[in-house]
Amino acid sequence: MRAATGGAGGTDLGVSRWIVLAIPVDGVSETDRDARTLKEFDGSAEEAEAALLEAASTYEHSLWKVTRREIFQCSSRSYFLRLRGRLATYGSMLQLAERVRDTAEPKSATG
């Protein structure tokens, strides 16, 4: 298994493919608990952790106006976000996921 700080795809530059996920866990119906990909990008672990914190600071689920935002850090790659609106409160787990395997083969230059 490769080191957590190394990049997927065999590079030594510390660049990996990342996604930021929002998983609704409180204040939504069972049918609305699907994970949402908020962002997908290439970068270092530090850049990915900064993107996760930015997402926690800006994500609004389905509220028209957020009146209060509480961010709880579970780990450097996971936050619990509680959003309060005028009439509803939502809780979501925001998680950072690093791609560790991709079975797609690179496309050849000739077709």
Side-chain angles (χ1 to χ4, degrees):
M1 185 163 273
R2 66 177 182 74
T5 58
T11 65
D12 291 318
L13 300 175
V15 174
S16 293
R17 187 75 178 164
W18 301 90
I19 57 173
V20 175
L21 296 170
I23 305 151
V25 294
D26 191 26
V28 296
S29 68
E30 288 294 321
T31 58
D32 195 29
R33 292 188 186 242
D34 293 335
R36 295 172 175 96
T37 300
L38 302 181
K39 188 171 186 178
E40 186 168 348
F41 58 96
D42 294 317
S44 67
E46 294 79 16
E47 291 168 327
E49 290 171 9
L52 176 63
L53 183 56
E54 177 185 343
S57 299
T58 59
Y59 180 63
E60 295 186 353
H61 184 64
S62 61
L63 289 174
W64 287 97
K65 182 177 180 185
V66 174
T67 59
R68 183 175 180 187
R69 175 183 306 272
E70 295 176 276
I71 302 171
F72 300 89
Q73 184 173 17
C74 302
S75 71
S76 63
R77 295 185 179 187
S78 179
Y79 291 97
F80 177 78
L81 176 62
R82 185 181 298 143
L83 299 174
R84 296 179 194 265
R86 218 181 73 200
L87 301 173
T89 299
Y90 296 101
S92 296
M93 290 297 297
L94 271 61
Q95 295 184 324
L96 187 59
E98 180 181 12
R99 182 176 65 194
V100 296
R101 184 170 184 210
D102 185 352
T103 59
E105 294 182 7
K107 303 282 183 192
S108 68
T110 58

